[in-house]
Amino acid sequence: MGGRKQGPAPDGWGDDTLTEYLENYRNNQFATFVGREAEVADLIAIDGMLKKLVYGAKDPNPFVPMTFLLRAHSAYRSASGAVMAGQLYEAQALLRLCLEHSAYGHYIGGDNAMWERWMRRNDSDANRAAVRQEFTANKVKKKLRDADGKVATAYETLYEQLIDFGAHPNEKGFSMSSTIRKENGDIHIEAVYLHGDGLAMRSALRTTAQVGICVLRIGKTLYPQRFKDLDLEIELQAIMKRF
């Protein structure tokens, strides 16, 4: 395996030990924090808004979606860390997880019977089949579309983009981080584990912010009064102007 060093953060190629890789991972995060200060500041601000939305909520109504938003926030933090480290390909799956948790929470809403069916998915083959039929991507998107068409459009656009660039094994994401070349009759596979600074890093930082914003907008459809009480709308509108 091989790769090239680029930008302020060193690349990872997979030819180091796990501990060396983790050290490079952390060093890359520091390099991105310094080299991409404005972009990272947006990620931090979005994290603060998500934290404000989900932490300390007492008896939220509806109750169940808040549990999904907590997991979405956790996934957002994991994805932010991976992107800042340069692990851009694998971060797409984390960002998709972030998006889907918020959308599933919205889909279930205050329907406790649906929540019960979802929780009992693995009780039997019949339950598993029923949940698969009830929780389809199209049904989840339709409910979001019925609530707010603009938010649904943002969700669907981001979802498809994440699928293309690594949330599923697809050509675009694979090509971003891997190349196959011939040299002197030999075939070489070059796989970048940790990207340095560059177009791919800037794009991933932007996408991470957009996913966080989308989750916040879904959260607003679920908890409009909490959004108002916490002045989150003012913060959200300010940061959305840059995206």
Side-chain angles (χ1 to χ4, degrees):
M1 296 184 182
R4 293 183 294 122
K5 291 188 177 182
Q6 50 184 331
D11 289 350
W13 306 287
D15 56 357
D16 48 7
T17 65
L18 178 60
T19 52
E20 290 170 331
Y21 169 81
L22 292 174
E23 184 176 1
N24 286 335
Y25 189 99
R26 187 58 172 155
N27 288 339
N28 280 10
Q29 290 176 331
F30 285 126
T32 302
F33 183 84
V34 173
R36 292 289 162 192
E37 185 177 359
E39 292 93 329
V40 172
D42 282 335
L43 298 189
I44 293 171
I46 292 165
D47 175 75
M49 285 184 271
L50 286 167
K51 181 179 177 181
K52 191 184 292 187
L53 176 64
V54 300
Y55 282 25
K58 294 182 179 179
D59 300 319
N61 185 26
F63 179 82
V64 169
M66 189 61 75
T67 66
F68 281 84
L69 288 177
L70 281 162
R71 298 281 17 129
H73 179 222
S74 179
Y76 172 82
R77 285 189 163 182
S78 297
S80 296
V83 168
M84 289 178 65
Q87 196 176 47
L88 308 185
Y89 183 85
E90 290 76 15
Q92 308 305 304
L94 290 169
L95 288 168
R96 178 192 171 192
L97 186 67
C98 179
L99 265 186
E100 285 195 305
H101 269 94
S102 62
Y104 267 52
H106 181 269
Y107 182 61
I108 292 173
D111 191 337
N112 291 329
M114 183 188 291
W115 162 249
E116 181 78 13
R117 291 193 295 275
W118 188 77
M119 288 294 289
R120 294 185 176 278
R121 178 184 186 276
N122 292 313
D123 284 3
S124 67
D125 289 341
N127 282 17
R128 188 177 295 109
V131 169
R132 283 177 180 167
Q133 185 174 4
E134 185 171 22
F135 285 80
T136 66
N138 285 335
K139 288 181 179 179
V140 171
K141 287 187 286 188
K142 183 182 184 303
K143 185 165 183 182
L144 189 56
R145 205 176 300 123
D146 291 342
D148 190 317
K150 291 183 178 179
V151 175
T153 297
Y155 172 86
E156 292 177 42
T157 299
L158 285 166
Y159 185 90
E160 292 303 323
Q161 179 181 323
L162 295 171
I163 294 294
D164 284 343
F165 283 96
H168 277 181
N170 282 325
E171 178 273 331
K172 286 184 179 179
F174 188 87
S175 297
M176 177 179 69
S177 300
S178 305
T179 58
I180 300 174
R181 62 182 177 83
K182 290 184 178 181
E183 184 177 312
N184 299 324
D186 295 327
I187 296 177
H188 298 263
I189 301 173
E190 297 181 350
V192 179
Y193 281 31
L194 300 176
H195 286 258
D197 192 26
L199 178 61
M201 169 66 78
R202 295 196 299 274
S203 177
L205 288 167
R206 182 176 179 82
T207 299
T208 303
Q210 290 172 323
V211 167
I213 289 169
C214 189
V215 171
L216 283 165
R217 294 172 73 188
I218 292 173
K220 181 187 172 185
T221 69
L222 287 162
Y223 303 104
Q225 188 60 49
R226 183 167 176 79
F227 238 76
K228 183 179 179 180
D229 293 344
L230 296 172
D231 292 326
L232 282 169
E233 180 63 20
I234 297 172
E235 294 182 64
L236 181 58
Q237 289 301 320
I239 205 166
M240 282 179 63
K241 292 178 181 178
R242 296 195 288 280
F243 296 90

